[in-house]
Amino acid sequence: MEADYVIVGAGSAGCAMAYRLSEAGRSVLVIEHGGSDAGPFIQMPAALSYPMNMARYDWGYMTEPEPHLGGRRLVAPRGKVIGGSSSVNGMVYVRGHARDYDHWSENGAAGWGFADVLPYFKRMENWHDGGHGGDPAWRGSDGPLYVTRGPRRNPLYHAFVEAGAQAGYPVTGDYNGQQQEGFGPFEQTVWKGRRWSAANAYLKPALKRENCDLVRGLATRVVIEDGRAKGVEIERGGKREVIRAQAEVILAASAFNSPKLLMLSGIGAGAHLAEHGIDVVADRPGVGANLQDHLEVYFQMAASQPITLYKHWNILSKALIGAQWVFTGKGLGATNNFESCGFIRSRAGVEYPDIQFHFLPFAVRYDGKAAAEGHGFQAHVGPMRSPSRGAVTLRSSDPHEAPKIFFNYMSTDQDWSDFRQCLRLTREIFQQEAFEPFVRHEIQPGDGVESDEALNDFIREHAESAYHPCGTCRMGAADDPMAVVDPEARVIGVEGLRLADSSIFPRITNGNLNGPSIMVGEKAADHILGKSMLPAANDEPWIHPEWQTQQR
């Protein structure tokens, strides 16, 4: 089996690249270890907590014990299914802030500033705001990725935005448009009541072309001959075979599995590879380093009125919602229920938002466990730009073994002060007049949890990953010893090998990573094809005019 391009990983970036490369007439083979995304657990937006907790769809990774979180091991899910993590995620769509990409560009990722990436966000989007005050000039209207907004029927969604305004923050009609900062409606990758994953948007249309095909199997290493990637060794049905690439091999296997595959192929820190008996092809110490994530807590309030989603937390109601969704594609099953959000700055002197809120009219955990209090609501909150860095390393040279994942969460004093600030600002929002008709009391952290020490204890015990791993194959200048790929997504030190997924982010972006990961696939495809980049945009993002002296 051979093709012009062999892509490892049918995830967010991989699907986008398969679509664009096959659209250009090149032959493409996509290798994916996971299986089909058919069935209601993935396709029904409200069922989002199921696929992420099912071994069938998830790699099942765990972190190493995190020393600053009391030695806890956190779950670190990644999608093992077509669509990758876009098939198991919360479907929240955030581009990131303009300044995130300017930071990339200033730190060696030339050509990846906001002006450069905005045209790719527009190219990929098929945006529908339902007439709710977005920024059409900043958005795309005919791309493969449908982006919509929930109906926001529950009064709590509006109370959250109103409370933000009462606390003195701006309201924004489109955080993915000119102004991210503020409170407003959330966007989701949902179309006609279905999860609009990268598989639905990109891969399935690509597979209808004669020049694109999917190969099921576990990629075990990149085959490199005389310094050039020639193919990918896979295992399926107990046998190993090589899928050959006439032009290039492209890795898009996640922030955990892309560095793992590079290391298994002899690309990584020489001493680490030698420990596992792997011959060094390219000594790149940046492989697996620079691991980043967003950490968050669920700030939960007990409700004084029975208007939350808790009333549907029973077998009969779930069955009715499921039946309505199956037969009509509508109702509570057709939304991820994240329909209002906020992006704010933690303090004066911070140029652009560094705190994100996901608001949910229900007090529930990501694993689907409801709060014992019954009716309640919550905001997921956490800092956006933690200075902590971790690493992905090999456990052994066996490709079946999970990599070692160590985030090193909360390893700096800044992490703790930023997180405490998040909690105090959230509490202030829930104390606004807009919430007075709905609040009974604070479930967690709890009214008595106020001192720095008490808040630290709460964070240590309750902080969870927002499942946004990135950065482990950092993009940078070709002469940067810690960069893994250059600004054209070429793996430095090996010919014919590219890598494009969230691994290449130099620094984590504001908000959820699915949108930026797809954008990386879109832009990398143009680099791979040797095309001219889309013309740079000159749209100017809104920055708070008094950011140096005011927090809001």
Side-chain angles (χ1 to χ4, degrees), residues 33 49 71 180:
H33 187 43
S49 67
Q180 186 190 66

Side-chain angles (χ1 to χ4, degrees), residues 115-169:
D116 307 302
V117 304
L118 179 57
Y120 287 93
F121 278 116
K122 289 183 179 181
R123 182 172 88 175
M124 73 196 224
E125 287 177 355
N126 200 320
W127 174 72
H128 297 258
D129 78 331
H132 293 302
D135 285 350
W138 286 68
R139 310 305 298 270
S141 58
D142 55 3
L145 187 75
Y146 282 97
V147 178
T148 58
R149 298 178 175 194
R152 302 175 83 209
R153 292 192 185 102
N154 193 302
L156 290 165
Y157 291 125
H158 302 282
F160 186 67
V161 175
E162 204 179 319
Q166 288 169 351
Y169 297 102

